[in-house]
Amino acid sequence: MKDTITATTQRRLKKKDLLNKILEFLQKENKKAFNYKQIAHAIGADHPANRIDVINLLDDLAAADEIVEVSLGRYKAKSNRGTESIGIFVRRSNGRNAVVIEDEQIMVAERNSMHALNGDKVRVVISATRKGQEPEAKVTEIIEAKDQVFIGTLKVEKNYASLVPDSKFLAADIIIPRSKLKGGKSGDKAIARITYWGDDEMNPRGEIVDILGRKGENNAEMHAILAEFGLPYKYPEAVEKAANKISAGITPEEVAKREDFRGVTTFTIDPVDAKDFDDALSIRQLANGNYEVGVHIADVTHYVQPGSIIDKEARERATSVYLVDRTIPMLPEHLSNGICSLRPNEEKLCFSAIFELDKKANVLNYRIGRTVIRSDRRFTYEEAQKIIETGEGEFSKEILTLDSLAKELRRKRYDAGALEFERAEVRFEIDKDGKPIRVYFKESKDANKLIEEFMLLANLTVAESIGKVPKNKKAKTFVYRVHDNPDPEKIANFALIAQRFGYKVNAEGRAKEVNKSLNRLLKDVKGKGEENMLSILAIRSMAKAIYTTDNVGHYGLALDYYTHFTSPIRRYPDMMVHRLLQRYFDKGRSADKLKVEDQCKHSSDMEQLAANAERASIRFKQVEFMKDHLGEVYEGVICGVTEWGLYVELDENMCEGLVPIRDLADDYYDFDEKNYCLIGRKNHNKYTLGDKVRVQVARADVDKKQLDFALLADDGNPNKPLRTEKKSNPRAHAGKKHSGRGGRKRK
């Protein structure tokens, strides 16, 4: 793993040199658009004062028509257009359609769109750029129509029917012939496909693909969220039937091929509502005083054969999806909750990593192989936590020993430079109809961390067993879970924000030192108003973890080798890892890297979609919950600042809402992107990240999953600033450029 974050150059450049460097860079990269940060970094303008110079020079060059600001804050070299190009069409419900060509967005009027849909690959003719005018494009051909559906609410009248879409990518209702309604009625939530959209027609025509249920009903809304992200909300009947034919098959012949752990103390620790138990721990003390700890993982690939109908479905899904009130499993229930689930007092087939540990949790030996187990007990996290806290309960000796070993493993990880992100998760108490009646926070305690540490140990050991090869030997193709080094610029920006709150983050140097300073900050902010906001920003400064065959290490865990081995019931990459392990244990040749990499990319993409759907379901429930609290006043913290307003997270329940900039009626506010704040032009009031505010719940739009707040002053008067900064010398602001955009004038 790379061990340093590159330090930035601190030499200040002259403005004339900067100007030439900017133009040279944009002309060299004339097919792409860049923001000021990317440009500054590319030309070596890393001095803080130079970055401000770059912002101002870009504004001047764009105003002088020397370069083009293709979208807010993104610039590229001028080009004389008038030629054909190919790009991806972006349709928006507000009518601001565009085509994206090499990162540049060019406006497309609706009359020139050929009714292309969002994501369609199109051929366009671009008008030549005139001074003071933005270029426009006209679609001449839809080269490749993206297969897509729209979710919305049916409106069935006497003479016609239509679907009113929820989508932000389509403003027009879809006309549905009565013969294509699939039995749908007014008020049903449904999925439709566009079948025809004539050039001279205002509305597309379509057909209903599926009826999800009545609008507002919990099942219908949850299914709509899944459909919105292209995720399945039901299991194909043929796959269910194939799964139901599979038997556990724990025969004497199969047991004889495996290491037998049925006589060793074994148990699972999972959430109280879990049904798919894919990991168990065993522990016994050896004659030499050391401990043998087994991490036993459900042997899913024993039952799911490559290329089978079940495998194809699992490969396509790639992950289970966890919404607020349900799990949409990757595997059929007969497998995920049945024969593969490590339920107590049942013999189960496993793929296991077995460790010999001394009392300081040093790994002295390990082995990986197929086993058979029999779990003695199913613990919930709460039950295991009670044993850890009181020292009393069934298998207390074993749990306390594992807890002690886990704490040693954890201490060593942090000493090695691993990051310690521990943000509380939002959870809902839901009634029988799916309505949220209470919001609470779920925090990770010792019982959770116990399981986490041994899963991490198994994952890194499996990755090392294949990836760590002797000199002059070629590593075999394998699936790694990697987390690249963060962008130095993002870390530097985060360090500046943290500094405003009085915290020091080392933005340069060895990764271990940077991470230690981040961990120190995360510890120091615990329980403070800025905790949540700084934790989120710290996470956002990191790269995303992905699956790949190219191992670059895991920055966040400070590991050179890491994979996912421990959850094959709910993650397809874990199934891939199990198969590759057995292949190489059997002396098989290295797998096809391109095929494995393709599946890694698909799995990473599906993981992101599942995470987006989960967030959308949380957002939906938050808005639904707050709908019953309209007009109520809450304390909160500004967690986001944009050109269109302030995002505020409530202290009491972590619900997030927007204070629209148009509602800040006391002044005209500008967005200062560099300093994450809105600044009033007249009164110089400032609203910035981390500010404590009082807000009133103003609007709760469940359909749009949108929550709006009104900012309150201390006297409870809406639209009066909560905090006023000391006015600066007006002369100091005269003639200055505003570094951001946005604002609404008082009406």
Side-chain angles (χ1 to χ4, degrees), residues 7 123 160 178 181 183 186 229 237 337-338 356 369 389 420 422 469 491 494 542 574 586 635 640 654 712:
R123 190 185 310 278
Y160 78 98
R178 284 183 164 273
L181 278 173
S186 273
F229 291 98
E237 193 176 331
N337 295 356
E356 181 182 346
E389 290 173 1
E420 187 175 2
E422 287 187 8
V469 294
I491 284 287
F494 175 69
M542 297 289 119
D574 300 56
D586 294 339
E635 301 286 334
M654 287 171 72
L712 300 184

Side-chain angles (χ1 to χ4, degrees), residues 40-59:
H41 185 68
I43 65 175
D46 294 320
H47 191 285
N50 272 158
R51 292 195 180 189
I52 295 170
D53 292 337
V54 169
I55 292 170
N56 291 331
L57 284 169
L58 288 168
D59 277 347

Side-chain angles (χ1 to χ4, degrees), residues 56 59 78 93 234 282 341 349 356 443 518 523 585 705 716:
N56 291 331
D59 277 347
K78 277 194 71 175
S93 59
K234 54 188 176 184
S282 69
S341 186
L349 302 182
E356 181 182 346
E443 294 193 57
L518 283 169
K523 185 178 179 181
F585 290 165
K705 305 181 190 72

Side-chain angles (χ1 to χ4, degrees), residues 53-109:
D53 292 337
V54 169
I55 292 170
N56 291 331
L57 284 169
L58 288 168
D59 277 347
D60 290 342
L61 287 167
D65 209 31
E66 295 290 326
I67 62 173
V68 180
E69 187 174 12
V70 297
S71 60
L72 184 64
R74 291 177 64 78
Y75 303 87
K76 75 184 296 278
K78 277 194 71 175
S79 59
N80 292 318
R81 290 282 177 75
T83 57
E84 282 192 340
S85 292
I86 292 173
I88 301 299
F89 192 81
V90 178
R91 174 171 288 280
R92 297 191 180 93
S93 59
N94 62 9
R96 299 187 68 178
N97 304 331
V99 61
V100 178
I101 303 169
E102 295 167 344
D103 288 338
E104 180 181 350
Q105 286 202 11
I106 303 168
M107 193 185 83
V108 180

